[in-house]
Each structure stands twice: as C-alpha cells, then as structure tokens.
Amino acid sequence: VQLQASGGGLVQTGDSLRLSCVASGSTVGGYVMAWFRQAPGKEREFVAAINRWSSSSTNLADSVKGRFTISKSNAKNTVYLQMNSLKPEDTAVYYCAASSTVIYSEHRNAPRYPYWGQGTQVTVSS
C-alpha cells in the first residue's frame, strides 16, 4: 500500500486542521491505520490509530485525547486526523502509517508499521 499525507500548514494556537492520508494499492479497511509525529530533535511519537474494518475502534495518545479524532472513509480509501484546539507543542511533521498485522497493544510502536507516507508539516504559532 502507498500512502500520501496532506493537509498540514501554519496555524495559530486554538485553531483546527484536518490531515488526510490517501491510500492506493490496497484498501484501508484491511489495515490498522495510524498517525505519528516527529518534532525537531525528538523521536517519532504515536498520535492515533484506527483498527482494521472497524471505524469505532480507535486509540489516541494521552496528549491529544479530547482534541484529536481519527476516522476513515472506506469509500475514499482515506484516513483523517481532525486536530482541534491546537497547541504549539503539536508542531511536528505528521506521518501516516499502515500495518496489516499490528495488534492493539502494539499500536504505539512505530517499527510495527511497514508502510509510511511522506509526512506533512504542522506548525502552531503561539
């Protein structure tokens, strides 16, 4: 599966953005789809994941709970990350990832995802 992320940009504290990750070559329904982010000088960190086949089974990092939502459209073969109430500490390059084998307890483990998009920059100014 090939992944193409988009939707990043420069926003102010409190604003919202919606990131999109379009998949090609395979259907998103067959994969756990996730978002990770990496800020300058920091390790890549888990943001959110949505399970195979089920749109209601999601997993969110504590730092984004209540502000971010992950969803997907099987018809559009796209996964979304809706980001509300953005903070300067959300500034990072955001990557989408896919895995057909990762289990729930491993959702936050980046090496368990073999497929990655190219990343989209999100910058939140204070």
Side-chain angles (χ1 to χ4, degrees):
V1 60
Q2 292 80 46
L3 305 174
Q4 179 76 34
S6 64
L10 172 62
V11 298
Q12 295 184 333
T13 297
D15 284 350
S16 297
L17 275 177
R18 189 177 77 160
L19 305 184
S20 299
C21 176
V22 179
S24 58
S26 191
T27 175
V28 296
Y31 294 83
V32 171
M33 302 297 297
W35 289 95
F36 288 78
R37 67 186 181 186
Q38 188 166 20
K42 295 188 176 181
E43 293 187 354
R44 190 167 298 190
E45 67 171 352
F46 171 81
V47 177
I50 187 165
N51 255 332
R52 287 181 288 261
W53 310 122
S54 170
S55 295
S56 61
S57 178
T58 63
N59 191 353
L60 293 167
D62 289 344
S63 59
V64 305
K65 281 181 181 176
R67 300 188 299 122
F68 291 12
T69 304
I70 186 170
S71 63
K72 63 182 176 181
S73 168
N74 290 330
K76 295 183 178 181
N77 222 28
T78 301
V79 177
Y80 303 100
L81 184 69
Q82 178 66 43
M83 306 186 294
N84 299 328
S85 302
L86 283 161
K87 305 175 181 180
E89 51 263 43
D90 294 319
T91 295
V93 177
Y94 283 71
Y95 299 89
C96 59
S99 173
S100 62
T101 60
V102 67
I103 59 176
Y104 186 89
S105 62
E106 297 178 327
H107 276 182
R108 303 176 183 228
N109 189 0
R112 294 292 290 122
Y113 294 84
Y115 307 106
W116 291 83
Q118 85 288 2
T120 184
Q121 175 71 47
V122 173
T123 304
V124 185
S125 65
S126 58

